[in-house]
Amino acid sequence: MSSLASALGLRAAAAASSSLPVPNNAPAFLGFHFLFAYGILSSRTLKQYYGIDHNAAPREDLARYGEAAVRAGKLTARRLGMLRRNEAAHANAVENYALLVAALAFATFARVEPHLVNRAGLAYTAARVAYGVVYILIDHPRWSQLRGVCWWTGNVSCLWLLWTAWGKLNAV
């Protein structure tokens, strides 16, 4: 029986215990992060819940209607801050998606061992999910510094994949 780490493709299974190759889960990571960035972190759902979503110009909702919603009692100033952080977390996830795509694509093209691609993808996923939670829910200045730790953890996993791919592509 293989270990959980081997089953998830996080480490190479022992040759004697498994005849199946370790899968490269890069497409699954890309699919998850597309949905995470463009769907889960989208602020539309929360803005609809609080009644300040205007489909005609949704990117202007908080700037145009946020303070008025606080004055009208639809939401508190703290909740408005959370919605603004949600929009920023969404924008950052969309911006950061390109780095993930490049890292996973180059690593796959360079034939980086699948268990290493999977480890980096899982590290990135954990860091980016934590980043979203920390960014949206934490408004205390000191604790919000965790956001930077999460951001760098995710980016370092991608940079490591690019570095590893570079090494493979330029190996003699």
Side-chain angles (χ1 to χ4, degrees):
M1 183 167 153
S2 65
S3 71
L4 179 61
S6 294
L8 292 175
L10 300 178
R11 69 179 158 105
S17 67
S18 175
S19 61
L20 298 175
V22 173
N24 180 328
N25 293 325
F29 288 121
L30 291 175
F32 171 81
H33 283 282
F34 182 87
L35 293 173
F36 184 68
Y38 289 92
I40 295 170
L41 286 180
S42 173
S43 61
R44 293 289 309 273
T45 304
L46 286 176
K47 290 189 300 184
Q48 288 170 342
Y49 178 78
Y50 290 111
I52 59 170
D53 179 66
H54 299 86
N55 198 42
R59 293 181 184 212
E60 299 173 11
D61 284 345
L62 296 183
R64 186 178 287 180
Y65 306 108
E67 294 298 331
V70 171
R71 286 191 300 275
K74 286 186 174 182
L75 45 111
T76 64
R78 187 171 185 177
R79 186 69 52 168
L80 177 60
M82 184 199 74
L83 288 171
R84 287 183 172 144
R85 290 190 307 277
N86 186 180
E87 283 192 341
H90 164 71
N92 185 271
V94 169
E95 294 161 359
N96 205 263
Y97 185 71
L99 177 61
L100 176 67
V101 171
L104 290 174
F106 273 106
T108 300
F109 176 77
R111 298 190 187 274
V112 172
E113 292 82 356
H115 71 279
L116 297 177
V117 173
N118 296 342
R119 282 184 194 173
L122 187 61
Y124 180 87
T125 299
R128 291 304 300 186
V129 169
Y131 177 86
V133 169
V134 169
Y135 206 150
I136 294 167
L137 298 179
I138 296 179
D139 62 353
H140 187 277
R142 179 165 295 173
W143 287 106
S144 69
Q145 298 302 311
L146 290 171
R147 183 172 71 229
V149 172
C150 296
W151 187 86
W152 275 109
T153 301
N155 286 340
V156 165
S157 70
C158 289
L159 294 173
W160 179 83
L161 270 180
L162 289 169
W163 176 264
T164 304
W166 177 79
K168 287 268 192 184
L169 290 170
N170 293 296
V172 177

